[in-house]
Amino acid sequence: MKRRTLPVAAALAVTAALLLTACGGGDDGSKDNDKIAGADAGGTKTSASPSASDAARNIDRPTMKFPSDFKMVFDRTEPSDAKNAAVLGDAENFVRAINYGVVQQNAEDGAYKFYSTPDGTAQAYARKQIKQYVDGGWTVTGVQRYSRAKVDMTSGGNRASVSFCDDDSKFYGKEVKSKKILKTKPSDKDYYFFEIVMTASKGAKGLWTAEDIEVQKEATQCKG
């Protein structure tokens, strides 16, 4: 077991429309998600890259600490544009915050709410991902590797589409009480393609929050 299937089909039509409107494209093949996205090992406060704007760096962000047996790796080049760097950093923070909620065993944890838009599909997605782990008595272990990140900014500059691949071939669920690791055989089910609509926060200058999300499972284009 790695992750229970999360039914997000009802939100995908809305997400795809937003992606097409905001960024000129979307993935029509996205369906339910079987994986959980991201968390760094260790660390104190998660912050935007030094190349991002001063506003993004100076935001008072949630503290997220993780156990040593869980790691998230981002294989990507830092965008040269400060705004794109801030957008990508906060998209990563959003998926990181989902795993933090799992580690905390709290489906109402504040970190994912900080990095998502209230009432958006992304926040609902995060809550359901965390809740299914809490209800099952599971946490996370292993390594998640994210790659092929891309940011498409709208002409207005207040909304963007962020996409990336997720390789969970070395990521597993773990029973909280017994500490048993629930390993699975490698397969195409280990690969996911994420597309997240990010919007500029009205309450905190430089912060970007996840509004909508679309996830394609068995994303074989992400292999290798």
Side-chain angles (χ1 to χ4, degrees):
M1 172 270 169
K2 292 196 176 184
R3 192 186 315 187
R4 290 293 189 186
T5 300
L6 172 67
V8 296
L12 296 187
V14 176
T15 304
L18 281 169
L19 291 168
L20 288 168
T21 300
C23 308
D27 192 317
D28 294 333
S30 299
K31 295 183 180 180
D32 296 352
N33 180 28
D34 288 332
K35 299 277 181 179
I36 212 156
D40 279 337
T44 53
K45 284 197 174 183
T46 303
S47 61
S49 165
S51 68
S53 67
D54 289 340
R57 291 199 304 270
N58 293 332
I59 294 169
D60 185 16
R61 298 171 181 273
T63 298
M64 293 188 283
K65 294 183 179 181
F66 300 91
S68 60
D69 66 336
F70 183 73
K71 185 176 182 181
M72 179 175 168
V73 178
F74 289 103
D75 291 330
R76 50 97 162 178
T77 301
E78 185 75 4
S80 58
D81 179 82
K83 183 177 285 189
N84 284 1
V87 171
L88 179 56
D90 282 339
E92 293 171 349
N93 284 333
F94 169 66
V95 295
R96 180 181 289 111
I98 298 175
N99 271 339
Y100 183 70
V102 172
V103 169
Q104 293 297 304
Q105 293 286 285
N106 182 5
E108 298 299 330
D109 184 75
Y112 79 83
K113 293 181 180 180
F114 182 87
Y115 288 111
S116 59
T117 305
D119 301 323
T121 62
Q123 188 167 113
Y125 168 87
R127 181 182 293 108
K128 288 179 181 179
Q129 287 283 8
I130 297 168
K131 188 176 186 299
Q132 65 191 9
Y133 262 74
V134 174
D135 290 349
W138 309 308
T139 186
V140 292
T141 189
V143 178
Q144 288 184 319
R145 188 173 296 273
Y146 291 83
S147 63
R148 308 183 194 183
K150 181 180 179 182
V151 179
D152 290 316
M153 185 71 65
T154 62
S155 58
N158 61 357
R159 176 173 284 188
S161 171
V162 176
S163 61
F164 45 76
C165 286
D166 171 24
D167 176 357
D168 283 4
S169 58
K170 296 182 180 179
F171 164 79
Y172 309 101
K174 183 173 72 172
E175 294 180 356
V176 174
K177 291 184 178 180
S178 70
K179 309 299 182 183
K180 178 183 178 181
I181 297 175
L182 308 173
K183 289 193 173 183
T184 56
K185 294 182 179 180
S187 73
D188 289 347
K189 293 181 179 180
D190 293 324
Y191 300 93
Y192 289 76
F193 181 77
F194 283 72
E195 196 157 16
I196 305 173
V197 175
M198 303 292 294
T199 58
S201 172
K202 295 179 180 179
K205 186 177 180 180
L207 175 67
W208 291 79
T209 59
E211 181 177 0
D212 291 282
I213 187 169
E214 188 172 4
V215 185
Q216 177 190 344
K217 65 179 182 179
E218 297 190 36
T220 55
Q221 72 270 28
C222 292
K223 296 177 67 173

